Amino acid sequence: LRVNYAPFENVRGIKSGFVFVLQDVTEQEKLDRMRRDFVANVSHELKTPLTSIKSYTETLLDGGIDDPDTIQQFLGVIDGEADRMARLVRDLLQLSNFDAKMANLHMEEHDMLHLIRQCIMKLETSYKPKNQRIKINAQETTLVSVFDYDRMEQVLINVIGNAVKYTPEEGKITIFVSRMPKELVLRICDTGMGIPDKDLARIFERFYRVDKARSRALGGTGLGLSIAQQFVEAHGGNIAIESTVDIGTTVTIRLPAVSVSA
Ligand code: ADP
């Protein structure tokens, strides 16, 4: 609470009291703190790979290395760190572009099951070494609904991608899709490592990760779920997560049924 006060004069110019103004600044301060934390996080996330690129490049330039294998290895690290910065910038751009044109969704009719199959195919190509069973469980073979294709693709890549990343090789990922009278419900279930209770409430925050090192090693930026939440909420839907450590995680996405003419 911020308190401002000033002396109060009556019509004859004689000080006869004080005016107090009480202002609730908690909300404003919370926003300021969130903004500061965000900038600090972005700077830190960019600085770490940059420091690494710099030190490996300096060593190479200093001519401290003659062995071609070591040179190859150093260049591999530099390349990997540059990729990491590129992923972070890509995710940040997605968040900021979307912030800027919040209402700009391309709502059209598409087959949700086709989109899910496409996402699985893309993920199977990018996570080749992993060989989990990914199954779609739906009553119908096509499920036409109205949504922004590119944004929903990003949501599914992020959420199914997490299921792939945080589930071991022998694990199972099942995507349940059902049409309710007023909404389309997607449930992405995995039999992976799960998320501890204490972290669950904060998991949609930007940059929040249960295990930073593990997320980084798997190519994560800590922004995937915040992007997914922002896109789903822009559709008027919601996204929720339930999880039990060592048992698995379920992400539920609810999208309101919209007709094209709406
Ligand atoms: P990241 O890029 O780190 O994956 P996300 O925002 O997508 O960032 O997810 C935040 C964190 O939530 C992850 O770092 C991970 O700790 C946890 N998480 C998300 N999905 C799952 C899942 N299916 N199983 C276990 N942990 C998960």
Side-chain angles (χ1 to χ4, degrees):
L1 209 64
R2 184 183 293 149
V3 184
N4 287 320
Y5 66 97
F8 174 74
E9 293 177 1
N10 68 14
V11 277
R12 283 185 224 111
I14 299 165
K15 290 195 173 63
S16 57
F18 287 93
V19 180
F20 285 89
V21 179
L22 306 178
Q23 198 183 358
D24 184 359
V25 287
T26 23
E27 200 52 36
Q28 185 57 41
E29 264 172 17
K30 210 172 115 194
L31 280 175
D32 286 348
R33 198 179 54 240
M34 275 169 66
R35 206 167 295 133
R36 275 198 308 272
D37 285 353
F38 182 67
V39 173
N41 273 322
V42 172
S43 316
H44 176 76
E45 293 295 326
L46 285 172
K47 205 173 148 215
T48 319
L50 208 52
T51 309
S52 169
I53 288 175
K54 186 85 184 130
S55 64
Y56 279 86
T57 318
E58 273 172 6
T59 316
L60 285 172
L61 286 172
D62 283 350
I65 294 165
D66 302 319
D67 175 23
D69 284 349
T70 314
I71 296 176
Q72 187 74 21
Q73 187 203 337
F74 274 34
L75 288 175
V77 174
I78 293 169
D79 191 44
E81 295 294 281
D83 282 346
R84 193 169 126 194
M85 292 178 77
R87 278 195 301 272
L88 183 66
V89 172
R90 177 205 62 197
D91 283 0
L92 286 170
L93 281 175
Q94 262 187 359
L95 279 172
S96 71
N97 282 344
F98 199 67
D99 279 345
K101 29 182 186 171
M102 194 64 184
N104 205 354
L105 289 178
H106 300 288
M107 299 294 277
E108 278 169 17
E109 275 190 350
H110 303 280
D111 176 8
M112 181 57 89
L113 293 177
H114 171 76
L115 171 60
I116 297 173
R117 281 185 222 109
Q118 290 292 112
C119 292
I120 295 175
M121 224 168 63
K122 282 194 182 176
L123 286 166
E124 279 173 346
T125 332
S126 51
Y127 289 101
K128 256 221 164 73
K130 281 233 172 168
N131 214 357
Q132 300 124 333
R133 275 174 299 149
I134 309 184
K135 233 182 68 186
I136 301 178
N137 186 317
Q139 304 248 297
E140 300 147 71
T141 46
T142 56
L143 229 167
V144 175
S145 182
V146 177
F147 53 88
D148 180 316
Y149 191 91
D150 291 343
R151 262 61 183 259
M152 279 314 293
E153 176 176 48
Q154 195 57 58
V155 169
L156 293 171
I157 291 276
N158 292 0
V159 175
I160 306 172
N162 279 346
V164 172
K165 281 194 287 185
Y166 302 108
T167 301
E169 194 75 46
E170 66 280 6
K172 231 172 66 185
I173 295 160
T174 315
I175 303 156
F176 295 90
V177 190
S178 48
R179 190 198 291 280
M180 302 300 198
K182 290 192 172 158
E183 58 188 10
L184 191 64
V185 184
L186 314 180
R187 263 183 234 282
I188 297 96
C189 306
D190 68 56
T191 58
M193 56 191 288
I195 302 167
D197 273 348
K198 67 172 180 37
D199 300 296
L200 260 186
R202 301 191 57 193
I203 217 73
F204 288 102
E205 286 176 23
R206 292 173 184 190
F207 293 113
Y208 194 85
R209 285 163 282 188
V210 178
D211 178 342
K212 272 196 181 179
R214 187 196 299 267
S215 153
R216 279 202 195 118
L218 293 167
T221 59
L223 294 173
L225 284 178
S226 348
I227 294 174
Q229 184 181 44
Q230 201 167 356
F231 288 4
V232 168
E233 287 181 354
H235 279 79
N238 65 65
I239 179 167
I241 192 160
E242 295 156 80
S243 190
T244 311
V245 172
D246 292 334
I247 302 281
T249 301
T250 296
V251 174
T252 306
I253 297 171
R254 296 174 184 278
L255 289 179
V258 191
S259 74
V260 243
S261 52

